[in-house]
Amino acid sequence: MAQITESESQLAQLEIDPSHFGFLAQLRMMLGAFWNTKIKARIVTLAIALLVIILATTYAQYRLNSWNAPFYDSLQRRDLDAFLIQLEVFAVIAGVLLVLNVIQAFLNQMMALSMREGLTRDLIDQWMKAGRAMKLANFGSIGVNPDQRLHEDARNLAEITTSLSIGLVSSSILLVSFIGVLWEISADFAFNLYGHHIAIPGYMVWAALIYAGTASLLSSFVGRNLPDINAERYSKEAELRFSLMHANENLASITLARGEGSERGQIQNAVSTVLAVIWRQAIAITNLTWVSSGFGWLTLVAPILIASPVYFNGMLSFGWLMVAVGAFTQVNAALRWYIDNFRQIADWKAALYRVSTFRKALLEMDKPDIAETDLAQSFGEDQKMVLRDLSILPGPPGTPTDRGLKIPEAEIIITPGERVMVNGDASVNRHLLFQAMAGLWAWGKGEILMPPQDDILFMPQKRYFPDTPLRAAVAYPRDPSGFDDATITDALKRAGLERLASDLDRHERWDRVLEEDDQARLRLANVLLTAPKWLVLDDALEGLEPETQGEILKVMDELKDSAIIYIGRQELFQEVMKSRAIHLQPV
């Protein structure tokens, strides 16, 4: 297949460029995905339950902070009875908090699970809509390694979204709850400086805001590059995994060609690229740690230092000093939510960008203006195939036209039951015609009118079999329950696979356990079972033994009611099928 690079695909650049698809647009895209999921009701129910638990937890924490005053005052008075009573109060509050924390932990996990289920199922549904995945593969880097975006990126986005959302809501409620305590404690604060009376109502609130704001601004500045580095790491990790999978799936060819050295070099280069990104990430995280850890240690004494003027002025008892310290700690923790979660926010933004742009690209695959082209392809109701004024280009405007093709005849009509062979010059990329007929290639000129889509079976050169029992592989993509065992067995026997007739329920990787010729026979059994009215083959006999080619063609020729169009340079097809020929020419 001819691949379109990102620089060549003008549309792909426009659609996924952050300047055209910013953060708010990405957020709206994914909120829409979550809102339209089939498990929306479950997600909303869990969100309400979590909000109730967070409110109850905040109230219990408020009571625990207020408990500091009588408890520490009893210590200051050396009042044993009051001390013991406060321990009992503590046991009740701590027990309630323990139960609430356990419930919240469970609900957190259920929310993350539900978010991932909804998001992953939505992405898979969008990806596997007719023709989308193949079209996307031709649009540069956005279509590379979709497994990474469907699995790892979707998991990260769902789990981190849950964690950050719960943390943000909890911090906001804590801030509202405890900022009033700080204001009340320091509402009347005033002092004399060089003969001037200076009053700063609620100075502890302002101190907390300045303290946390300074930390957040420094964190934002120091870690400003982390989101881009994280996104790049996701991309490079996916490329490394693809290199490993590609090598593993082609071990026999690599070994026979003695290509281990070449493959090793490519994989090592991919590893080096990943390690270079991780090194940059490590430096960025290290620099961020100077800020986060520095303010973290300072927070141990900052509340006492800030509250000390009120205490030493005699306006607070020791117990109320601890209440003030506890309230300041809660307010500061709420205000520091951003700095404490900066790395996770950076990770979340990277996952959001990769998943949202992937979903956006999928949704736009169906737009009629997805590419600037004069090629019109459609599936109609008539049982005929029409190729009119047809030329296929190897890419969007601006792409070099070498390996493009055209049909010299102004109009070609193929009727039911015909046998047609489409060949061409060696320089012509015939695969583009196959993809254009299937509606998977957008660039060119002219018109392609196809019969009803449900009546056509497209058979590409590369063989594919699902990881299923044999009966499902033979019936693919139809439901195997629609065929009885005798019918499936007869198809296998006619295709020359009698020995597999008793293995209908055997589950195997059929592309690995069968030799290449037998894989072709299995695809023939699929054709015999599904009996399509139109069969379009893309060099499907290439690489097979001549004897196998002849046997397959003779069985196919028995399908008298099926039109068979073979795209490729297979002379035996013409000999067996007595077909007419269409000769492709370079553009």
Side-chain angles (χ1 to χ4, degrees):
M1 179 196 309
Q3 293 293 320
I4 310 245
T5 65
E6 191 170 8
S7 61
E8 293 171 330
S9 179
Q10 300 170 358
L11 173 77
Q13 288 179 327
L14 289 174
E15 295 300 341
I16 67 172
D17 192 314
S19 64
H20 293 83
F21 189 52
F23 174 73
L24 292 179
Q26 297 168 30
L27 201 57
R28 285 194 298 270
M29 169 66 68
M30 299 321 301
L31 286 174
F34 281 120
W35 187 251
N36 292 324
T37 181
K38 296 178 181 178
I39 59 171
K40 175 180 65 177
R42 188 203 309 171
I43 292 177
V44 172
T45 301
L46 286 170
I48 294 173
L50 273 167
L51 181 59
V52 171
I53 293 298
I54 290 172
L55 288 170
T57 301
T58 302
Y59 177 73
Q61 288 176 312
Y62 179 85
R63 291 297 303 270
L64 181 62
N65 190 61
S66 300
W67 166 85
N68 282 318
F71 177 73
Y72 284 104
D73 284 344
S74 69
L75 284 175
Q76 187 178 24
R77 297 192 309 270
R78 293 180 173 82
D79 187 340
L80 180 60
D81 292 337
F83 174 77
L84 294 175
I85 291 173
Q86 292 306 315
L87 286 179
E88 294 175 359
V89 173
F90 172 80
V92 173
I93 298 175
V96 171
L97 279 171
L98 175 61
V99 173
L100 291 173
N101 288 340
V102 171
I103 295 174
Q104 182 174 334
F106 173 75
L107 292 177
N108 288 354
Q109 296 299 315
M110 292 301 99
M111 175 63 86
L113 175 65
S114 299
M115 295 271 282
R116 182 181 181 185
E117 177 183 352
L119 177 59
T120 303
R121 293 190 185 281
D122 171 80
L123 289 175
I124 291 173
D125 287 343
Q126 300 297 342
W127 184 51
M128 277 292 133
K129 284 193 176 179
R132 278 188 182 176
M134 188 66 182
K135 290 178 184 177
L136 187 70
N138 294 321
F139 277 93
S141 62
I142 190 67
V144 176
N145 301 324
D147 56 295
Q148 168 79 13
R149 300 180 190 251
L150 289 165
H151 180 257
E152 198 67 17
D153 293 342
R155 178 185 66 83
N156 284 337
L157 182 59
E159 293 180 356
I160 299 175
T161 297
T162 301
S163 175
L164 290 178
S165 299
I166 293 172
L168 179 59
V169 170
S170 180
S171 296
S172 300
I173 295 174
L174 281 173
L175 178 62
V176 172
S177 302
F178 284 94
I179 205 168
V181 176
L182 283 184
W183 186 274
E184 182 181 355
I185 291 174
S186 59
D188 300 326
F189 177 74
F191 61 94
N192 293 315
L193 181 65
Y194 299 111
H196 297 282
H197 183 77
I198 301 175
I200 307 177
Y203 88 96
M204 292 191 68
V205 174
W206 308 120
L209 290 173
I210 293 172
Y211 181 81
T214 302
S216 295
L217 286 174
L218 281 174
S219 295
S220 181
F221 175 75
V222 173
R224 63 190 181 279
N225 294 325
L226 261 178
D228 292 337
I229 294 174
N230 286 349
E232 185 179 0
R233 179 176 178 180
Y234 283 158
S235 176
K236 299 308 178 184
E237 293 275 15
E239 291 174 11
L240 172 59
R241 188 175 66 252
F242 174 78
S243 297
L244 294 170
M245 291 172 57
H246 185 68
N248 184 58
E249 291 177 353
N250 295 277
L251 287 177
S253 299
I254 293 170
T255 303
L256 292 173
R258 298 183 180 179
E260 291 93 342
S262 175
E263 291 297 322
R264 181 171 59 249
Q266 293 183 40
I267 295 173
Q268 292 289 13
N269 287 338
V271 171
S272 298
T273 302
V274 170
L275 294 178
V277 176
I278 295 176
W279 171 257
R280 290 167 51 208
Q281 185 184 49
I283 296 299
I285 291 173
T286 301
N287 292 335
L288 184 62
T289 304
W290 282 103
V291 177
S292 58
S293 295
F295 276 90
W297 288 110
L298 185 58
T299 302
L300 294 176
V301 296
I304 296 176
L305 292 175
I306 292 173
S308 60
V310 185
Y311 178 73
F312 286 115
N313 280 348
M315 300 172 63
L316 292 179
S317 67
F318 181 68
W320 277 102
L321 172 64
M322 300 310 295
V323 171
V325 169
F328 181 91
T329 301
Q330 293 286 8
V331 170
N332 180 64
L335 292 173
R336 277 174 50 90
W337 177 86
Y338 178 77
I339 179 175
D340 290 338
N341 292 278
F342 188 88
R343 285 174 55 186
Q344 197 173 27
I345 292 172
D347 205 21
W348 173 75
K349 290 179 70 176
L352 175 67
Y353 173 74
R354 285 178 58 80
V355 175
S356 62
T357 52
F358 180 72
R359 189 174 190 271
K360 178 179 175 63
L362 286 172
L363 294 176
E364 299 198 344
M365 286 296 103
D366 296 336
K367 285 188 175 181
D369 58 346
I370 188 169
E372 298 178 5
T373 179
D374 295 320
L375 176 63
Q377 187 276 352
S378 62
F379 295 96
E381 297 298 325
D382 295 338
Q383 290 292 336
K384 66 178 180 179
M385 187 180 299
V386 180
L387 309 178
R388 184 176 294 131
D389 298 322
L390 188 62
S391 61
I392 310 295
L393 301 177
T399 304
T401 59
D402 59 313
R403 295 184 65 78
L405 60 91
K406 66 179 180 180
I407 296 178
E409 293 86 353
E411 182 177 83
I412 290 179
I413 299 176
I414 304 174
T415 57
E418 273 200 83
R419 270 60 170 149
V420 178
M421 177 176 176
V422 183
N423 57 22
D425 295 351
S427 60
V428 167
N429 185 358
R430 299 182 303 273
H431 304 299
L432 295 183
L433 176 61
F434 179 80
Q435 294 180 54
M437 292 172 68
L440 303 179
W441 194 257
W443 294 283
K445 296 180 181 180
E447 188 176 16
I448 301 176
L449 299 177
M450 301 292 290
Q453 192 167 11
D454 291 341
D455 294 339
I456 309 173
L457 177 61
F458 291 96
M459 187 178 292
Q461 184 178 28
K462 185 176 181 180
R463 301 173 181 87
Y464 170 76
F465 302 103
D467 185 13
T468 60
L470 180 60
R471 65 172 70 249
V474 178
Y476 182 81
R478 299 187 183 181
D479 186 349
S481 62
F483 304 94
D484 56 38
D485 289 2
T487 303
I488 298 176
T489 299
D490 179 65
L492 287 171
K493 289 181 178 179
R494 291 174 62 193
L497 294 175
E498 298 90 340
R499 70 181 190 281
L500 298 179
S502 60
D503 295 330
L504 296 184
D505 294 316
R506 179 178 159 196
H507 194 132
E508 291 282 1
R509 283 285 305 272
W510 300 105
D511 56 336
R512 294 191 175 184
V513 300
L514 294 179
E515 297 292 337
E516 190 172 2
D517 283 29
D518 282 343
Q519 291 181 35
R521 295 179 186 279
L522 184 56
R523 290 213 296 183
L524 174 61
N526 172 253
V527 172
L528 295 173
L529 187 67
T530 56
K533 294 180 180 179
W534 297 80
L535 178 61
V536 184
L537 303 99
D538 182 22
D539 245 346
L541 301 179
E542 184 69 23
L544 302 180
E545 293 290 337
E547 181 181 351
T548 303
Q549 293 178 358
E551 292 175 1
I552 290 176
L553 288 173
K554 287 178 182 178
V555 175
M556 279 189 180
D557 196 36
E558 297 173 5
L559 300 172
K560 300 301 182 182
D561 295 330
S562 299
I564 302 177
I565 298 93
Y566 189 93
I567 301 175
R569 299 174 62 85
Q570 184 53 254
E571 296 179 358
L572 188 59
F573 181 88
Q574 280 189 294
E575 295 177 9
V576 174
M577 296 287 189
K578 306 297 188 292
S579 62
R580 66 164 165 145
I582 298 174
H583 190 79
L584 304 178
Q585 296 179 356
V587 174

